[in-house]
Amino acid sequence: LVGSEMCIRDRMETFEITLNPQHEHMSEPHNKNVFEHIIVLQGEMVFYIDGHWKALKAGDSTKFSGNQIHGYRNLHKTPAIFHNIICYL
């Protein structure tokens, strides 16, 4: 659930992403009513949202509005693997 809205199966994408050591990916803002969910499966990473980098480790999850600049970075020596679920409401 995102607020009072539910992510409908045919309006979402699910990715399993391996973020290699010392790699960064920045993303431009998506359209309004696009939400991203991150679930870290292995390793550690940081993600950029609201002008700040925030740490996540295996077992952590977060969600945010994708209509702003956001990004992912692995500052460690081992890969970070996470699920990225993008919901279009």
Side-chain angles (χ1 to χ4, degrees):
L1 289 174
V2 178
S4 61
E5 300 292 331
M6 181 185 277
C7 188
I8 301 168
R9 181 185 302 167
D10 63 347
R11 299 187 69 194
M12 68 184 233
E13 298 177 282
T14 303
F15 302 96
E16 181 172 294
I17 298 173
T18 299
L19 197 58
N20 288 321
Q22 307 305 313
H23 184 78
E24 177 181 297
H25 174 77
M26 296 301 292
S27 186
E28 291 296 317
H30 303 300
N31 294 329
K32 185 177 176 182
N33 293 325
V34 174
F35 295 87
E36 291 199 29
H37 302 252
I38 298 172
I39 304 163
V40 182
L41 304 175
Q42 178 182 313
E44 298 178 57
M45 59 182 280
V46 292
F47 78 104
Y48 183 83
I49 198 72
D50 295 328
H52 302 284
W53 289 97
K54 299 177 183 183
L56 295 173
K57 64 183 183 313
D60 289 345
S61 64
T62 191
K63 64 182 177 183
F64 57 91
S65 176
N67 67 347
Q68 55 194 310
I69 295 173
H70 53 284
Y72 315 98
R73 181 187 288 169
N74 180 352
L75 302 173
H76 300 277
K77 295 180 181 179
T78 58
I81 301 172
F82 65 100
H83 283 167
N84 185 357
I85 302 166
I86 304 173
C87 296
Y88 305 90
L89 302 180

